[in-house]
Amino acid sequence: MIDRLIERIEELQNPTVVGLDPKLPMIPENLKEEAFETYGQTPKAVAAMFYQFNKAIIDQVADIVPAVKPQIAMYESYGPDGVKVFADTVAYAKQKGLIVIGDVKRSDIGSTSAAYATAHLGAVEIGSQTYFPFNEDFATVNPYLGTDSIDPYFETMKRYDRGLFVLVKTSNPGSGELQDQVFEKTGLTLYETVGALVSKWGEDFRGKYGYSDIGAVVGATHPEQGTRLRKQLPHVFFLVPGYGAQGGTAQGLKGCFDKDGRGAIVNSSRGIIAAWQNKYKDRFKPEEFALAARQAALDMKQDLTSVL
Amino acid sequence: MIDRLIERIEELQNPTVVGLDPKLPMIPENLKEEAFETYGQTPKAVAAMFYQFNKAIIDQVADIVPAVKPQIAMYESYGPDGVKVFADTVAYAKQKGLIVIGDVKRSDIGSTSAAYATAHLGAVEIGSQTYFPFNEDFATVNPYLGTDSIDPYFETMKRYDRGLFVLVKTSNPGSGELQDQVFEKTGLTLYETVGALVSKWGEDFRGKYGYSDIGAVVGATHPEQGTRLRKQLPHVFFLVPGYGAQGGTAQGLKGCFDKDGRGAIVNSSRGIIAAWQNKYKDRFKPEEFALAARQAALDMKQDLTSVL
């Protein structure tokens, strides 16, 4: 799966992933009205408008970005109807040729992690039928419980050719509180320790470009740490959140890439999907939100490729 | 919310929570057949049988246990239909007077954590309507991202009188890999560091028994660490998984309770809900799975109270 992601990045010359994290205030009035008319003031209405919003953006970016990353929290906050639209969004994006990174940050003890693996990357057998519950290509996971909480994903990953991105160094301002503390025994920080585990877990999952299907989340808001991790983890591909709205710059995240310009994909959510009400408020009408997203995605591509 | 949990534990003289973690092989044939006949071999059928299974168990345990803990992974692995039954199960359990601990282990950066808080403990406004997406009383959360990933829950907790259980020391065999490592600067392990944070976060959330609405997950499979944490964290209530099927014993988890026999609630999932096919295979028929669960819950109560 990592090979497919790398190849698609190279075909499009664009190491960008668009975060599909809709919120109600981002939805243009025309979509809102239509959904409220059909479904009333219900979660179904919000789900319907999120889906229309996502579809329009996917249609506009599918030929310029390799991947999208829906953040499931935004959908979960509208209950089961919201979660259904998360699944529908994954399906639509894949139909349009996009690689889908499910930003779900799941984590649990072994047998329960296996259920999450099935949910997000695998399939269940129901009688004689096989059913793919959410069907993402990659899922993000949290390492706090250790190796035996992550290895239940491996079988599912191999069987269905999927990938993981493990939280290593997150983009939030307070990520250092635990992640940057140094362990006595090894002299490594918590995040470096997790990074080393991610590298080890990935040994059986390396593809033809030297990167493994088990990548790491490394926030764009910590340039020096990103640069150091890139050197320490030559086989670990990075998913880099925090560009744009959270303050990460192209110059700052240059160090997350290797000498061939590979090794990372950078996420932007609000900066792209809400461009119609921010950066491009004056250039596009609200109904043209998807065109504004396309333009913002092109800007980001240019910004990133200018430093690589 | 923690006061309500403590009071309900004392009314019933039972510090037990029943884990509602259904899996397809646990469902008795009669429920399976009925659901497959109605819905075919579909996720909807599995969702329907999970709901019937949970309802029957809730009906049988609501007068003997204070709380249930549905594990969302089991529901997510059947996609949106499964997630709907997670929500339906929460609603039914609350209707029967049970306190519901949503075992969701969510975790993300601030703005996204706020969306999870809304999803699991709060409400969304849709036009003039207010809607509670999952409506749990407590949710479990993962601390890897630090304080600014947890404090977005606080406002929602205050507004709706809810609680959290933060992963501190988990019950899986490999939990020590990261959690037991000692930090150079403080001489504390990662899990003790998180424990101290949980205590600090809870200062504004203390109830009349001295415990706060922000509790800790402390696995029954690590008795010494549980005992030590109980002393270090006198205001932090413990949710204790790992009893029974995972190997934790009543004697071993005695140390998780304070001198008044308060301070912890112990979870059992498989040991109770699958008792009809294990411990009580010969005593109850498959159709009597809920009676077997009741008996197993009574056994657990007796086992726990014998050491307290």
Side-chain angles (χ1 to χ4, degrees):
Chain A
M1 182 43 71
I2 196 69
D3 289 345
R4 228 189 97 203
L5 180 61
I6 291 170
E7 283 161 11
R8 195 65 188 138
I9 289 171
E10 311 218 330
E11 276 164 28
L12 298 171
Q13 288 290 306
N14 190 6
T16 297
V17 49
V18 174
L20 293 175
D21 311 355
K23 291 183 176 186
L24 202 42
M26 274 177 206
I27 307 296
E29 282 306 319
N30 63 322
L31 291 188
K32 271 191 195 160
E33 276 167 27
E34 197 187 307
F36 282 140
E37 251 169 53
T38 313
Y39 297 105
Q41 294 176 339
T42 62
K44 256 198 180 36
V46 178
M49 61 186 87
F50 279 10
Y51 189 50
Q52 294 308 319
F53 184 75
N54 288 346
K55 275 208 304 188
I57 290 173
I58 288 167
D59 287 344
Q60 284 297 335
V61 301
D63 62 328
I64 51 174
V65 302
V68 290
K69 180 175 78 63
Q71 165 54 262
I72 199 169
M74 304 308 162
Y75 303 85
E76 259 181 58
S77 62
Y78 291 91
D81 291 317
V83 173
K84 181 166 186 313
V85 161
F86 174 84
D88 293 345
T89 298
V90 173
Y92 189 78
K94 290 177 81 165
Q95 194 187 312
K96 294 288 163 176
L98 287 157
I99 292 166
V100 178
I101 303 169
D103 200 353
V104 299
K105 298 191 178 64
R106 297 315 195 227
S107 160
D108 215 293
I109 64 163
S111 57
T112 309
S113 273
Y116 278 132
T118 296
H120 292 282
L121 304 176
V124 280
E125 312 285 329
I126 305 176
S128 60
Q129 304 296 307
T130 301
Y131 169 71
F132 290 82
F134 290 101
N135 205 20
E136 300 135 55
D137 295 309
F138 288 88
T140 57
V141 295
N142 183 309
Y144 186 75
L145 287 83
T147 298
D148 65 0
S149 72
I150 305 293
D151 62 20
Y153 286 88
F154 297 170
E155 197 190 318
T156 301
M157 287 172 58
K158 279 184 181 149
R159 184 156 175 195
Y160 299 103
D161 186 22
R162 310 290 191 159
L164 292 182
F165 285 103
V166 183
L167 300 187
V168 169
K169 174 70 189 174
T170 55
S171 62
N172 53 312
S175 68
E177 185 179 29
L178 295 169
Q179 294 164 22
D180 290 2
Q181 286 203 48
V182 175
F183 287 129
E184 193 174 79
K185 207 167 154 186
T186 56
L188 296 175
T189 59
L190 171 56
Y191 81 81
E192 288 167 329
T193 308
V194 174
L197 286 173
V198 170
S199 181
K200 197 173 115 196
W201 297 333
E203 281 170 8
D204 284 348
F205 289 92
R206 286 197 198 142
K208 55 184 164 184
Y209 304 100
Y211 286 105
S212 108
D213 289 325
I214 307 183
V217 173
V218 177
T221 44
H222 314 289
E224 282 170 36
Q225 290 161 316
T227 305
R228 201 133 27 91
L229 283 171
R230 179 69 290 146
K231 283 176 194 144
Q232 282 164 10
L233 307 172
H235 302 294
V236 178
F237 201 87
F238 293 172
L239 168 62
V240 183
Y243 171 90
Q246 289 181 54
T249 63
Q251 195 57 46
L253 50 78
K254 202 175 153 182
C256 288
F257 290 86
D258 67 21
K259 61 174 176 36
D260 302 319
R262 282 186 189 135
I265 188 163
V266 182
N267 181 74
S268 175
S269 302
R270 276 169 288 172
I272 292 178
I273 68 173
W276 73 272
Q277 51 186 191
N278 298 310
K279 185 176 179 188
Y280 287 126
K281 204 168 54 178
D282 300 323
R283 183 157 154 197
F284 293 97
K285 286 182 255 178
E287 312 87 80
E288 295 172 323
F289 65 93
L291 289 174
R294 181 182 177 85
Q295 189 54 54
L298 287 169
D299 297 346
M300 180 171 168
K301 173 183 172 175
Q302 198 180 15
D303 186 34
L304 290 180
T305 47
S306 73
V307 302
L308 290 181
Chain B
M1 182 42 71
I2 196 70
D3 288 346
R4 228 188 98 203
L5 181 61
I6 291 169
E7 283 161 11
R8 194 67 188 137
I9 289 171
E10 310 218 329
E11 277 163 29
L12 297 172
Q13 289 289 304
N14 191 6
T16 298
V17 50
V18 174
L20 294 175
D21 311 354
K23 291 184 178 187
L24 202 43
M26 276 178 202
I27 307 296
E29 281 306 319
N30 62 323
L31 291 188
K32 269 190 197 162
E33 276 167 27
E34 199 188 306
F36 281 141
E37 250 168 55
T38 313
Y39 298 103
Q41 295 177 338
T42 62
K44 256 198 180 35
V46 179
M49 62 184 88
F50 279 10
Y51 189 51
Q52 294 308 318
F53 184 75
N54 288 346
K55 276 209 303 185
I57 289 173
I58 288 168
D59 287 343
Q60 283 297 335
V61 302
D63 63 327
I64 52 174
V65 302
V68 290
K69 181 176 78 62
Q71 166 53 260
I72 200 169
M74 303 307 162
Y75 304 84
E76 259 180 58
S77 62
Y78 291 91
D81 291 315
V83 173
K84 179 164 188 315
V85 162
F86 174 84
D88 293 344
T89 297
V90 173
Y92 189 78
K94 290 178 81 165
Q95 192 188 314
K96 295 287 164 176
L98 288 157
I99 292 166
V100 178
I101 302 169
D103 200 353
V104 300
K105 296 192 178 65
R106 298 313 195 230
S107 161
D108 216 293
I109 63 163
S111 58
T112 309
S113 273
Y116 278 133
T118 296
H120 292 283
L121 303 176
V124 279
E125 312 285 329
I126 305 175
S128 61
Q129 304 295 308
T130 301
Y131 170 71
F132 290 82
F134 290 100
N135 205 19
E136 300 134 57
D137 296 308
F138 289 87
T140 57
V141 295
N142 183 310
Y144 186 75
L145 288 80
T147 297
D148 66 0
S149 72
I150 304 293
D151 62 21
Y153 286 88
F154 298 170
E155 196 191 319
T156 301
M157 287 172 58
K158 279 185 182 147
R159 182 155 177 195
Y160 299 104
D161 186 23
R162 311 289 190 157
L164 292 182
F165 286 104
V166 183
L167 300 187
V168 169
K169 174 69 190 175
T170 55
S171 62
N172 53 314
S175 66
E177 185 178 29
L178 295 169
Q179 295 164 23
D180 290 3
Q181 285 203 46
V182 176
F183 286 129
E184 192 174 79
K185 205 166 154 186
T186 57
L188 296 175
T189 59
L190 171 57
Y191 81 82
E192 288 167 327
T193 308
V194 174
L197 286 173
V198 171
S199 181
K200 198 173 114 198
W201 297 332
E203 281 169 9
D204 283 347
F205 289 93
R206 285 196 198 143
K208 56 183 165 185
Y209 304 99
Y211 286 105
S212 109
D213 289 326
I214 307 183
V217 173
V218 177
T221 44
H222 315 287
E224 282 170 37
Q225 289 160 316
T227 305
R228 203 136 22 92
L229 282 172
R230 178 69 290 143
K231 284 176 194 144
Q232 283 164 9
L233 306 172
H235 303 293
V236 178
F237 201 88
F238 293 173
L239 169 63
V240 183
Y243 171 89
Q246 287 181 53
T249 65
Q251 195 57 47
L253 49 79
K254 202 175 154 180
C256 288
F257 291 86
D258 66 21
K259 62 176 174 34
D260 302 318
R262 279 185 192 137
I265 188 162
V266 182
N267 181 74
S268 175
S269 303
R270 275 169 290 173
I272 293 178
I273 67 172
W276 73 272
Q277 52 186 190
N278 298 309
K279 184 176 179 189
Y280 287 126
K281 202 168 55 177
D282 300 324
R283 186 160 151 194
F284 293 96
K285 286 181 256 179
E287 312 86 82
E288 297 171 322
F289 65 94
L291 289 173
R294 180 180 178 87
Q295 190 54 54
L298 287 168
D299 297 347
M300 180 171 169
K301 173 184 173 175
Q302 197 180 15
D303 186 34
L304 290 180
T305 48
S306 73
V307 301
L308 290 180

